[in-house]
Amino acid sequence: MDTADLKPEDPEDGGGATRAVRKQGQNGSVSRRLILDMAAALFSHQGFTETTVRQIAAKVGMQAGSVYYHFESKEQMLGEILSIAVRSTYMAVKGSVESLPIEATPKDKIKAAIRAHLQSLHGNFDYTATNVKYQGQVPNVVERAVQPDRESYTEYWNQLIAAAAAAGELSPDLNLPFLRPLILGSLNRTINWYDPGRGDIETLVRTVLVLFDGLWSRAEAAGSEGGGST
Amino acid sequence: MDTADLKPEDPEDGGGATRAVRKQGQNGSVSRRLILDMAAALFSHQGFTETTVRQIAAKVGMQAGSVYYHFESKEQMLGEILSIAVRSTYMAVKGSVESLPIEATPKDKIKAAIRAHLQSLHGNFDYTATNVKYQGQVPNVVERAVQPDRESYTEYWNQLIAAAAAAGELSPDLNLPFLRPLILGSLNRTINWYDPGRGDIETLVRTVLVLFDGLWSRAEAAGSEGGGST
Amino acid sequence: MDTADLKPEDPEDGGGATRAVRKQGQNGSVSRRLILDMAAALFSHQGFTETTVRQIAAKVGMQAGSVYYHFESKEQMLGEILSIAVRSTYMAVKGSVESLPIEATPKDKIKAAIRAHLQSLHGNFDYTATNVKYQGQVPNVVERAVQPDRESYTEYWNQLIAAAAAAGELSPDLNLPFLRPLILGSLNRTINWYDPGRGDIETLVRTVLVLFDGLWSRAEAAGSEGGGST
Amino acid sequence: MDTADLKPEDPEDGGGATRAVRKQGQNGSVSRRLILDMAAALFSHQGFTETTVRQIAAKVGMQAGSVYYHFESKEQMLGEILSIAVRSTYMAVKGSVESLPIEATPKDKIKAAIRAHLQSLHGNFDYTATNVKYQGQVPNVVERAVQPDRESYTEYWNQLIAAAAAAGELSPDLNLPFLRPLILGSLNRTINWYDPGRGDIETLVRTVLVLFDGLWSRAEAAGSEGGGST
DNA sequence: AATGAATGAGCCTTCATTCAT
DNA sequence: CATGAATGAAGGCTCATTCAT
């Protein structure tokens, strides 16, 4: 599957074997989030395996061993990063779609979703890039942990598309099973090449919406997208 | 940049001091290519760093040390795999485009290129997947070696697009600088999710061509592509 | 050149990227010096290349990997051992010479230097033996690091000899450029054969001083050496 | 012990386990000696362990495997090199001493021996340097093989010295057991530092003889050495 | 004689992880 | 909370050596 999920942060500790049971209220201590940020920055640029716990610790200003007070393992860090990435994008997209006016058509919703997805992607680069680049190559344990998040988001898109199809808004020449992964894959891949030098995100959004014009059934004219969410 | 190149053989030795001096070329002992195949299979599924030379050797049925009779380093293997991936796709695309009838328009050429790219991608999965998934995270030495190949292919696409633009065939609403990476990125990303269970490659090609219908300027009707090249 | 230097601590870090940053200096955790001692013992008896980091670690009672918490590389260990060897001998010699009475002649000084050199050599066998035996076959990186130390000591001897020559105390039949390396070489080579069973160090010193009697110009009688420093 | 032996070349194969039983008459095939020469050159400059069989083969212009047609092992090569070194020096020294006029005193003989030793040392640098530098750090198997050669030469010097002592020609202040190793050690160590730039071998010889003037009992005047043998 | 290809043991080094303080 | 020190399992790579051709 090719997605990137989201959803709010819930406890989800999992009960580590050792300590690393942080006693925080419901969020992570400052250090915890800081570590995650640094890890995400490193993972997204060098890759997970290529990143050393020592490097992460160094960027935070602590010793490698200290990291283990906050996390059970390097993999756990990755898992949390992926979850955050997926959930935050999910929330952004969902929020954007739901804030559309009542009259919004499925087509409008998909357009809004595309915009929100791209914005979230590039707005949380370190996290989402880690997610996108490692799609499918993540250690099993971790993958299993993020899977539910991924599926939620995936399912959300499936519904958006199904609704459009039901409304007859989608071009009949499209092979539906390919649609969601094709769209999300195209968007996600921008992580690999997007460079502000070529144009800003909004321009990217517009170009994508134009390029994807074949999505829509010929009944309607080319759509001038409008719902700038987020 | 987001591409996958090709082109004939470059020097690119690396100047090893010891053995492993013969190498690619058109000969390449049987073992050599076999090793490369196994390495590509492993790299594309587990990632470069996650793959052990011992694993590669095991798949070939030899000892880890023996691999070093054929290659100077694990990185050199990666380099050759990437080159093969990029070059073979380039040649496939170029060949496909050039075999179009004289009357072929730039639009026809781009469509043929898209089809050939997708076919090459999924027809040499292990090699191209290694290339696509590692885009931008490849060790410097290796990246430097493949760069020329990448650029050649990139440039080829730039020309295809420029020609279409010059011919007024492209939608004026598109931000040109985004176009090539967006298209190639979308195609390349299929490596991450395409599954024959959802439909065959030709169906994928058709869906992509429909989806990308927004590429073309509204002067013409939506194009039902036809020229199955390659 | 054939020498064995000494002198105070130089920068000479090497700039490791990871840990093992603290190092020499005046602290040096207990382990650190212990490792060095064991390494020197092994190096001096088996040679650098022939000695395994695992062997060193075993002698210290730790795991091979643990050694790398204290040193960046096996070569770094060698470098420090050589430096210690050279510097300690230098200091011993210099100290000995400087503690001679004011009236001491250049000849007296050379004699004292010979005695101190031999004493230091055999008093820190593992370190100095490593240095002497590896003279000229040390890895480049290491050699470069110790070079300044070597040169300081060499220079010190050059001055001692020059002073004696200026005072007309040296036999005119000697080819000066050969003198220092010849003397130091003779002394250093004792590392390869000296065995307490044949006589103690002081006896060795006296024999050397007698043997080298040709050093002195015939104006004076054979010298009964006196300045027993250290 | 600190020596360097000699003696004519005798079969001394040893009966290898594999092949490498060369069928030559009584000397080695051309290749054989060539390989030895290259090995000696490499060993003397980089050290035994640091030298690769592949390097040796490369200098000879053959493949690593081919070397094993001529030698059973790298160690065997070293053994032969050491033997050659020791024997050739022995022969040179012995020949030089024996060619002295009948009236030659023990003192004359020792002087001639010193000269011949130095000449042989520097006249067969690659071989003798390998021997001198590796004194005492040679693999057991090899050491055992060369030991007889070393002892012969050592014994020869012992006799020269004993004769001089018996003749009352040696200074009574010398500790006899130190004498031979001290002298030979001094001479051998020149291998580590001698550089034609500082003066030629003959000058070196003269300087050594002057320096060692303390050898002789004061009954006689300082000796101006004369018997330039070889 | 010589080579190409492979073996297998071992080496240096890295790194996630642990744990007493 | 944090650190210093150590562990132990691997991993990439080297190299003497073998052997069929």
Side-chain angles (χ1 to χ4, degrees):
Chain A
M1 253 156 273
D2 190 290
T3 60
D5 329 15
L6 42 112
K7 201 169 46 179
E9 182 87 357
D10 43 310
E12 171 260 14
D13 186 305
T18 333
R19 36 195 128 154
V21 209
R22 60 242 112 85
K23 342 25 186 160
Q24 341 96 13
Q26 52 250 75
N27 61 359
S29 61
V30 190
S31 302
R32 208 180 144 71
R33 182 65 192 218
L34 190 54
I35 293 175
L36 238 31
D37 283 349
M38 295 306 134
L42 256 5
F43 290 169
S44 64
H45 289 299
Q46 322 177 339
F48 175 71
T49 317
E50 292 75 14
T51 298
T52 283
V53 173
R54 275 188 178 81
Q55 285 177 55
I56 299 172
K59 281 196 86 166
V60 182
M62 48 169 61
Q63 225 59 28
S66 311
V67 169
Y68 286 82
Y69 181 84
H70 300 283
F71 297 90
E72 276 163 37
S73 70
K74 196 182 156 193
E75 288 192 345
Q76 191 199 217
M77 289 185 237
L78 176 61
E80 289 193 31
I81 288 171
L82 297 189
S83 275
I84 291 176
V86 172
R87 286 181 193 143
S88 68
T89 298
Y90 185 5
M91 294 194 77
V93 168
K94 196 177 178 194
S96 175
V97 167
E98 290 177 349
S99 71
L100 288 178
I102 297 271
E103 334 80 73
T105 64
K107 180 176 170 178
D108 292 331
K109 290 182 179 173
I110 288 179
K111 286 183 174 181
I114 286 175
R115 168 173 282 105
H117 185 92
L118 278 174
Q119 287 172 334
S120 172
L121 224 50
H122 294 280
N124 302 287
F125 186 88
D126 291 346
Y127 284 81
T128 60
T130 300
N131 180 44
V132 168
K133 292 185 179 175
Y134 273 73
Q135 204 96 308
Q137 275 150 293
V138 165
N140 288 317
V141 216
V142 180
E143 186 55 47
R144 227 166 296 137
V146 210
Q147 189 130 28
D149 287 325
R150 289 201 200 288
E151 277 172 14
S152 302
Y153 187 44
T154 287
E155 190 41 42
Y156 186 75
W157 267 89
N158 282 340
Q159 288 167 15
L160 286 179
I161 290 173
E169 292 181 318
L170 295 186
S171 165
D173 297 326
L174 295 165
N175 179 46
L176 267 298
F178 283 154
L179 215 47
R180 194 211 57 238
L182 198 43
I183 293 175
L184 285 180
S186 298
L187 304 185
N188 285 339
R189 187 71 182 186
T190 61
I191 276 296
N192 287 273
W193 60 264
Y194 173 73
D195 160 27
R198 278 190 167 109
D200 60 26
I201 294 294
E202 180 54 26
T203 303
L204 173 61
V205 171
R206 284 182 214 263
T207 297
V208 167
L209 290 177
V210 171
L211 175 66
F212 285 1
D213 197 54
L215 261 180
W216 323 116
S217 61
R218 283 281 143 241
E220 355 176 26
S224 57
E225 79 296 337
S229 62
T230 307
Chain B
M1 257 158 270
D2 190 293
T3 60
D5 332 14
L6 40 111
K7 200 177 49 176
E9 194 78 359
D10 274 58
E12 174 257 14
D13 185 304
T18 336
R19 51 238 138 108
V21 203
R22 61 216 132 295
K23 294 215 209 173
Q24 359 86 318
Q26 42 266 85
N27 57 38
S29 59
V30 192
S31 305
R32 208 182 147 70
R33 182 65 192 220
L34 190 54
I35 293 174
L36 236 32
D37 283 349
M38 296 307 133
L42 257 5
F43 289 169
S44 65
H45 289 299
Q46 322 177 339
F48 175 71
T49 317
E50 292 75 12
T51 297
T52 283
V53 172
R54 283 179 176 82
Q55 286 177 55
I56 299 173
K59 280 196 85 167
V60 181
M62 49 166 62
Q63 225 60 26
S66 310
V67 168
Y68 287 84
Y69 181 79
H70 301 282
F71 298 90
E72 275 163 34
S73 69
K74 195 181 153 193
E75 286 191 347
Q76 192 202 210
M77 291 185 235
L78 177 60
E80 288 192 34
I81 288 171
L82 298 189
S83 274
I84 291 175
V86 172
R87 285 181 192 141
S88 67
T89 298
Y90 185 3
M91 307 210 93
V93 168
K94 196 177 178 194
S96 175
V97 168
E98 290 177 349
S99 70
L100 289 178
I102 298 267
E103 330 84 70
T105 63
K107 180 176 169 179
D108 293 330
K109 290 182 179 172
I110 288 180
K111 287 183 174 180
I114 287 176
R115 168 172 283 107
H117 185 91
L118 278 173
Q119 287 171 335
S120 173
L121 225 50
H122 295 279
N124 303 286
F125 187 87
D126 291 345
Y127 285 80
T128 60
T130 300
N131 181 43
V132 168
K133 293 184 179 175
Y134 274 74
Q135 205 96 307
Q137 276 151 292
V138 165
N140 286 319
V141 217
V142 179
E143 186 55 46
R144 227 166 298 140
V146 210
Q147 189 133 26
D149 288 323
R150 289 202 199 289
E151 278 172 13
S152 301
Y153 187 44
T154 288
E155 190 41 42
Y156 187 75
W157 268 90
N158 283 340
Q159 288 168 16
L160 287 179
I161 291 174
E169 292 181 320
L170 295 185
S171 164
D173 297 326
L174 295 164
N175 180 45
L176 267 297
F178 284 153
L179 215 47
R180 195 212 55 238
L182 198 44
I183 294 175
L184 285 180
S186 299
L187 304 185
N188 285 339
R189 187 70 182 188
T190 61
I191 277 294
N192 286 273
W193 59 263
Y194 173 74
D195 161 27
R198 278 188 167 111
D200 60 25
I201 295 295
E202 181 53 25
T203 303
L204 174 61
V205 171
R206 284 180 213 263
T207 297
V208 167
L209 290 177
V210 171
L211 175 65
F212 285 1
D213 196 55
L215 260 179
W216 322 115
S217 63
R218 281 282 142 243
E220 350 175 30
S224 58
E225 80 298 335
S229 63
T230 306
Chain C
M1 258 156 272
D2 189 290
T3 59
D5 333 15
L6 40 112
K7 200 177 49 175
E9 194 77 0
D10 275 57
E12 172 260 13
D13 186 303
T18 336
R19 54 229 132 119
V21 204
R22 63 216 131 296
K23 294 214 210 172
Q24 359 86 314
Q26 42 267 87
N27 56 41
S29 58
V30 192
S31 305
R32 208 183 146 69
R33 182 65 193 218
L34 190 54
I35 293 174
L36 237 31
D37 283 348
M38 296 306 133
L42 257 5
F43 290 169
S44 65
H45 289 300
Q46 323 177 339
F48 176 72
T49 318
E50 293 75 11
T51 298
T52 284
V53 172
R54 280 181 177 82
Q55 288 178 54
I56 299 173
K59 281 196 84 166
V60 182
M62 47 166 61
Q63 224 60 26
S66 310
V67 169
Y68 287 82
Y69 180 78
H70 301 282
F71 298 90
E72 275 163 33
S73 68
K74 194 182 154 193
E75 288 193 347
Q76 192 202 209
M77 290 185 236
L78 177 60
E80 287 193 34
I81 288 171
L82 297 189
S83 274
I84 290 175
V86 172
R87 285 180 193 140
S88 66
T89 298
Y90 185 3
M91 307 208 91
V93 168
K94 196 178 177 192
S96 175
V97 168
E98 290 176 349
S99 71
L100 288 178
I102 297 269
E103 330 83 70
T105 63
K107 180 176 169 180
D108 293 331
K109 290 183 179 171
I110 289 180
K111 286 183 175 180
I114 287 176
R115 168 172 283 104
H117 185 91
L118 278 173
Q119 287 171 335
S120 173
L121 225 50
H122 294 281
N124 303 287
F125 187 87
D126 291 346
Y127 285 80
T128 59
T130 300
N131 181 43
V132 168
K133 294 186 179 174
Y134 274 73
Q135 204 97 306
Q137 275 151 294
V138 165
N140 287 317
V141 217
V142 179
E143 185 54 46
R144 226 166 296 139
V146 210
Q147 190 131 28
D149 288 325
R150 288 202 201 290
E151 278 172 13
S152 302
Y153 187 43
T154 287
E155 190 42 42
Y156 186 74
W157 268 90
N158 283 340
Q159 288 167 17
L160 287 179
I161 290 174
E169 293 181 318
L170 295 185
S171 165
D173 297 327
L174 296 164
N175 180 46
L176 267 296
F178 284 153
L179 216 47
R180 194 212 55 237
L182 198 44
I183 293 175
L184 285 179
S186 299
L187 304 185
N188 285 339
R189 187 70 183 188
T190 61
I191 277 294
N192 286 272
W193 60 263
Y194 173 75
D195 160 27
R198 279 190 167 108
D200 60 25
I201 295 294
E202 181 52 25
T203 303
L204 174 61
V205 171
R206 285 183 213 264
T207 296
V208 166
L209 290 178
V210 171
L211 175 65
F212 285 1
D213 196 55
L215 261 179
W216 322 115
S217 63
R218 281 282 144 241
E220 353 177 26
S224 56
E225 80 294 335
S229 62
T230 305
Chain D
M1 257 157 273
D2 190 291
T3 60
D5 329 15
L6 43 112
K7 205 172 42 178
E9 183 88 358
D10 43 311
E12 173 261 12
D13 186 305
T18 337
R19 38 195 126 157
V21 209
R22 61 240 110 86
K23 345 14 190 172
Q24 341 96 8
Q26 50 251 74
N27 61 2
S29 60
V30 190
S31 302
R32 209 180 144 71
R33 182 65 192 216
L34 190 54
I35 293 175
L36 238 31
D37 282 350
M38 296 306 133
L42 256 6
F43 290 169
S44 64
H45 288 300
Q46 322 177 338
F48 175 71
T49 317
E50 292 74 13
T51 297
T52 284
V53 173
R54 275 187 178 80
Q55 286 179 52
I56 299 172
K59 281 196 86 168
V60 182
M62 47 168 60
Q63 226 58 29
S66 311
V67 169
Y68 286 82
Y69 181 84
H70 301 283
F71 297 91
E72 275 163 36
S73 70
K74 195 182 157 193
E75 289 192 345
Q76 190 199 218
M77 288 185 238
L78 177 60
E80 290 193 31
I81 288 171
L82 298 189
S83 275
I84 291 176
V86 173
R87 285 181 193 144
S88 67
T89 298
Y90 185 4
M91 294 194 78
V93 168
K94 195 178 178 193
S96 176
V97 167
E98 291 177 349
S99 71
L100 287 179
I102 299 267
E103 333 79 77
T105 64
K107 180 176 170 181
D108 292 331
K109 290 183 181 172
I110 288 180
K111 287 183 175 179
I114 287 176
R115 168 172 283 107
H117 185 91
L118 279 174
Q119 288 171 335
S120 173
L121 225 50
H122 294 279
N124 303 287
F125 187 88
D126 291 346
Y127 284 81
T128 60
T130 300
N131 180 44
V132 168
K133 294 186 179 175
Y134 272 74
Q135 204 95 306
Q137 275 152 294
V138 165
N140 287 318
V141 217
V142 180
E143 186 54 47
R144 227 165 296 139
V146 211
Q147 190 131 27
D149 288 324
R150 287 202 201 290
E151 278 172 13
S152 303
Y153 187 44
T154 287
E155 191 41 44
Y156 186 74
W157 268 90
N158 283 341
Q159 289 166 18
L160 286 180
I161 290 174
E169 292 181 320
L170 296 185
S171 166
D173 297 326
L174 296 164
N175 179 45
L176 267 298
F178 284 155
L179 215 47
R180 195 210 57 238
L182 198 44
I183 294 175
L184 285 180
S186 298
L187 304 185
N188 285 339
R189 187 71 182 187
T190 61
I191 276 295
N192 286 270
W193 59 264
Y194 173 73
D195 161 25
R198 278 190 168 108
D200 59 26
I201 294 295
E202 181 53 25
T203 303
L204 174 62
V205 170
R206 285 182 214 263
T207 296
V208 167
L209 291 177
V210 170
L211 175 65
F212 285 1
D213 196 55
L215 260 179
W216 323 115
S217 62
R218 283 278 142 246
E220 351 175 30
S224 57
E225 79 298 330
S229 62
T230 306

